[in-house]
Amino acid sequence: MSRIHITTTVNGEAAEFLTDPRETLLDVLRNQLGLTGSKEGCGTGDCGACSVLLDGVLVSSCLVLGVEVQGKTVETIEGMATDGALHPLQRHFIEHAALQCGFCTPGILVAAKALLAQNDNPTETEIRYWLAGNLCRCTGYDKIVRAVQDAAAEMRGAA
Amino acid sequence: MRYHAVGSFDEAVRISASATGVTRFLAGGTDVLVQLRAGIVQPDDIIDIKHVPGVKDITRRADGGWDIGAAVSGVELGAHAALCRDWPGVVEGMRLVGSTQVQGRATLTGNLCNGSPAADSVPGLMAAGATVSVTGPEGARVMAVADIPKSPGKTNLKPGEVITRVHLPPRGANGGDSYLRFIPRTEMDIAVVGCAVNLRIDGDTITEATVALGAVAPTVMLVPAAGAALVGSTLDDAALDALVIAARAACRPISDKRGTAEFRIEVAGVLARRAASIAYARAKGETA
Ligand SMILES: Cc1cc2nc3c(=O)[nH]c(=O)nc-3n(C[C@H](O)[C@H](O)[C@H](O)COP(=O)(O)OP(=O)(O)OC[C@H]3O[C@@H](n4cnc5c(N)ncnc54)[C@H](O)[C@@H]3O)c2cc1C
Ligand code: FES
Ligand code: FES
């Protein structure tokens, strides 16, 4: 099986890896680049635990081949805190206890960040639809929605 | 498995035509990767069309119609305000596909070529009279979207043929379209029934109407009798009743965990009535 050499940018830094064309971006992130924050909940696009940004677009990394990211930029949960300071979304998730086992949390944070990048004041309905592809089996979604709303308010300078 | 990031559709056709094993074109990959992972389809050659110049373009033709590149995603379609104004039903069908994450990747072309009887964007395309440009080993041709589906998971594309663009006709004056589906929850499920209606009015009278149904037969299909039931009417109760009867009469559904055949037939009529009312209101400029 011939492996393909891929160069890409992950969380702002140049990255390279050798991949079997069958491998998904999620496998590459976790097994080759040591970025285990993105989780595999289903492997079939249903749960959102593997959410990343690919050239700024929210995608499920289990539905992207590793070879497809040649020359692109990938942003994962590992890039969310800057210089050790948690992102407002991360802080509000902790404050609201918007997580229990935490398996869904990286994907939800990445997805919520993508929402706030294009809508700094989403309604509850908008948040729920945007996150409909992020499944959580423990927490229930109310705390998650409230954490996103509070983070949005803080980021707007309203809190 | 070999991965080919081709720079032209001719190259895609060349690779596909000379391949001896299982080949898959790769657009958004939201069906291809799921099938790959599940072991349902193990391609020997994957041909990624996303690097072909122009595949992400949405352009209005001189005649007022639209050309949509084969790799335009649901998000990109929904972000195009002028296209959404012209063909809200086509766009809302595509926008129902999957989650935000799936929308970032999934395409009209992939939805059509995957061949699901429940494909959400296909009824709207058929009702709109959409066509596709196809390139293959024997040259190029244009096909109606309505002629693409063959049976569940199968299309009438010949081996090696690839879709390069989707074409929507000019919207023209006083037209409206709409798509509705029924699923047991509000998001993230497969249509139990889908229905698209596209019509044109003159004053209050419907002059043209096309109805397509999904998930009630082996393929998405046009229902000419349902469209005919509306033409000449002002969407009065008699016309709507005739529409419902014609839509239900066309259904040949299966029963599965999402719904029985009887339920699907019932719902097909309900959705046809509602979709026609929305399309009519849009044609009158009453709603977006
Ligand atoms: C979580 C999840 C939820 C989903 N929900 C829905 C839903 O609600 N409704 C729905 O209808 N679908 C749904 N789908 C299915 C899927 O997302 C859609 O069918 C989507 O539109 C496929 O587009 P794609 O670009 O990802 O196709 P791909 O996976 O890239 O391709 C699909 C098929 O089309 C072929 N193909 C691709 N491009 C071309 C081309 N240019 N010429 C010829 N053949 C081509 C491929 O070889 C393959 O056989 C869902 C999928 C997932 C994972
Ligand atoms: S692991 Fe990718 S969506 Fe579930
Ligand atoms: S906290 Fe456990 S799945 Fe969400």
Side-chain angles (χ1 to χ4, degrees), chain A residues 44-46 63, chain B residues 9 24-32 34 49 70 94 96-98 102 105-107 109-111 113-114 118-121 157 161-163 181 188-189:
Chain A
T44 51
D46 294 290
L63 293 187
Chain B
F9 282 114
R24 279 293 178 276
F25 296 110
L26 182 69
T30 60
D31 284 313
V32 168
V34 171
I49 59 152
M94 186 63 212
L96 282 171
V97 170
V102 170
R105 303 277 288 169
T107 66
T109 308
N111 197 225
C113 295
N114 186 54
D120 279 307
S121 76
L157 294 174
E161 281 190 324
V162 62
I163 291 179
R181 71 171 180 185
M188 296 291 288
D189 209 337

Side-chain angles (χ1 to χ4, degrees), chain A residues 1 4 21-22 24 27 40 43-46 48 51 54 57-60 62-65 67-68 70 72 107 111 129-135, chain B residues 1-3 26-34 36-38 42-43 46 48 50-51 73 75-76 99-105 185-188:
Chain A
M1 184 59 62
I4 299 174
R22 243 184 297 258
T24 64
D27 291 337
E40 180 170 281
T44 51
D46 294 290
S51 296
L54 181 59
V57 177
L58 183 67
V59 302
S60 289
C62 72
L63 293 187
V64 178
L65 293 172
V67 287
E68 288 186 81
Q70 170 64 38
K72 296 190 178 292
Y129 270 98
W130 183 273
L131 295 178
N134 289 89
L135 304 185
Chain B
M1 185 176 100
R2 287 168 297 270
Y3 170 81
L26 182 69
T30 60
D31 284 313
V32 168
L33 264 82
V34 171
L36 173 77
R37 304 271 296 185
Q42 295 286 0
I46 285 225
D48 188 347
K50 290 191 291 298
H51 299 277
S73 69
V75 166
E76 290 159 345
S99 56
T100 318
Q101 287 85 344
V102 170
Q103 282 287 312
R105 303 277 288 169
R185 47 204 296 248
T186 43
E187 268 285 272
M188 296 291 288

